[in-house]
Amino acid sequence: LVGQLMFRSVFLVVLLWSFNPWRPSLIFEKSAFQSAAAFGLPLMSTNSLNYWVRNADKLLIGKFLGDQALGFYNKPYTLMLFPLANVTQVISKVMFPSLAKIKDDKQLVKKGYLRVVRMVSLLAFPTSIGAFVMAEPIILGLYGPQWEGSVKILRVLSLLGVSQSIVALNGSIYQSQGATMIQFKWGLLFKLFIIAAIVSGLPYGTLGIAIAYTIASILTAIPNLLILGRVIPVRLRDVWQACCKPLLLSCLMGLAVYSFLAWVGSGVNEVVLLVTGVPLGVVVYAILVLEIGRAHV
């Protein structure tokens, strides 16, 4: 595993240098350093803070609740990160340079941001809502009955994925506007609140931590978006209007899948429920988007 990571890093360096003639050199320019530091140091601090917040729950569980509890928690946590890693973060990498080019036109930045919010909502919300409804078939069907302790945790953390998929887009706005210091200052306050919530949930086990983490993240989502309104002229209502239709359609899809699972009953094998419930959710959601949400989403 270590060798794989080392080989990947070396291979990327060789590949990049073979296509790009630039090489680092020992040249120091004070003005360039000051300009880079004003933008980069707050951003580096924010990323470091995000790393510790995303791992604080797992560190505490491993320390105080043991490796078995950590395993039950880590499986659904990894599944929760799927829409965040494969939708939000991928789009954010494209979003940042695009918005940086038009950073002086605040209204155009706002329009682009809301368009991305709508796109992320359409992709990430049904994934999270589907995980909430299909938690039992997903965990038991993929990992087996010995992982039953992860089912409730996945249901809770899937709601966390809904809020984080939108809030995680804020970073691209702060960076494209050169407002990384604002991002760090307010992020520090919000992250400390989330860590305090995680610690408060520790006496109640892994499920308590998951609930506390989710509630704290949802509570900080609104002030996160309000602070964003200081950087670009976007209101909370604008964000809600951009993502409310995808949220409604995702909930309708979840209701349809839940009704299917209730109709089938509990005697059916979890793998069968998984391979039938997921395609059903995809088809239902596609129909809803095309027929109901086409004119609005």
Side-chain angles (χ1 to χ4, degrees):
L1 293 175
V2 174
Q4 176 193 14
L5 294 175
M6 294 178 64
F7 175 79
R8 179 178 181 272
S9 299
V10 173
F11 178 76
L12 285 177
V13 170
V14 173
L15 188 65
L16 288 171
W17 279 8
S18 64
F19 283 95
N20 193 328
W22 178 86
R23 299 293 183 272
S25 57
L26 295 175
I27 299 176
F28 179 79
E29 294 183 11
K30 184 177 180 181
S31 59
F33 173 78
Q34 290 174 338
S35 176
F39 178 88
L41 289 179
L43 181 59
M44 182 182 67
S45 301
T46 298
N47 290 337
S48 300
L49 186 62
N50 287 337
Y51 172 83
W52 287 108
V53 170
R54 291 196 181 279
N55 289 278
D57 49 353
K58 294 185 281 293
L59 288 171
L60 290 171
I61 291 172
K63 173 67 175 178
F64 295 103
L65 302 180
D67 54 354
Q68 185 180 26
L70 179 59
F72 282 139
Y73 183 89
N74 197 50
K75 287 289 187 186
Y77 188 90
T78 303
L79 292 172
M80 180 275 295
L81 287 177
F82 180 83
L84 192 65
N86 293 277
V87 178
T88 302
Q89 292 181 2
V90 171
I91 293 178
S92 293
K93 291 180 180 179
V94 180
M95 180 181 173
F96 166 62
S98 301
L99 296 181
K101 293 180 181 179
I102 56 171
K103 64 178 182 178
D104 296 326
D105 190 338
K106 305 292 185 182
Q107 290 297 330
L108 192 58
V109 171
K110 170 188 173 181
K111 183 178 179 181
Y113 166 71
L114 293 176
R115 185 178 299 167
V116 171
V117 168
R118 190 176 296 111
M119 183 188 307
V120 169
S121 302
L122 278 169
L123 297 173
F125 284 6
T127 305
S128 296
I129 299 298
F132 178 85
V133 177
M134 293 282 296
E136 190 167 343
I138 289 174
I139 294 296
L140 302 185
L142 289 177
Y143 304 115
Q146 67 271 25
W147 290 94
E148 188 175 0
S150 297
V151 173
K152 292 182 179 179
I153 299 173
L154 177 58
R155 286 202 176 102
V156 174
L157 292 180
S158 63
L159 301 179
L160 173 64
V162 172
S163 64
Q164 287 203 351
S165 61
I166 299 301
V167 174
L169 294 171
N170 292 5
S172 295
I173 298 296
Y174 288 121
Q175 294 163 33
S176 67
Q177 296 295 310
T180 53
M181 182 57 73
I182 297 177
Q183 180 187 15
F184 170 69
K185 288 181 177 178
W186 286 100
L188 177 62
L189 178 62
F190 297 145
K191 297 302 189 296
L192 289 176
F193 175 73
I194 291 175
I195 291 177
I198 292 173
V199 173
S200 69
L202 186 60
Y204 305 97
T206 52
L207 184 60
I209 290 177
I211 293 173
Y213 190 3
T214 300
I215 292 176
S217 295
I218 293 175
L219 289 177
T220 57
I222 294 177
N224 254 305
L225 295 173
L226 291 175
I227 298 302
L228 187 67
R230 297 185 177 187
V231 180
I232 60 173
V234 64
R235 297 170 298 177
L236 190 61
R237 184 175 65 180
D238 298 328
V239 179
W240 169 249
Q241 289 176 346
C243 63
C244 65
K245 292 290 192 315
L247 180 60
L248 174 61
L249 299 181
S250 298
C251 290
L252 291 174
M253 178 274 296
L255 181 61
V257 175
Y258 175 80
S259 300
F260 166 75
L261 295 178
W263 175 70
V264 170
S266 58
V268 181
N269 184 276
E270 301 295 344
V271 177
V272 175
L273 292 177
L274 182 63
V275 298
T276 55
V278 171
L280 174 64
V282 172
V283 171
V284 170
Y285 185 72
I287 293 174
L288 289 172
V289 171
L290 292 174
E291 299 301 328
I292 299 178
R294 180 168 44 189
H296 305 284
V297 175

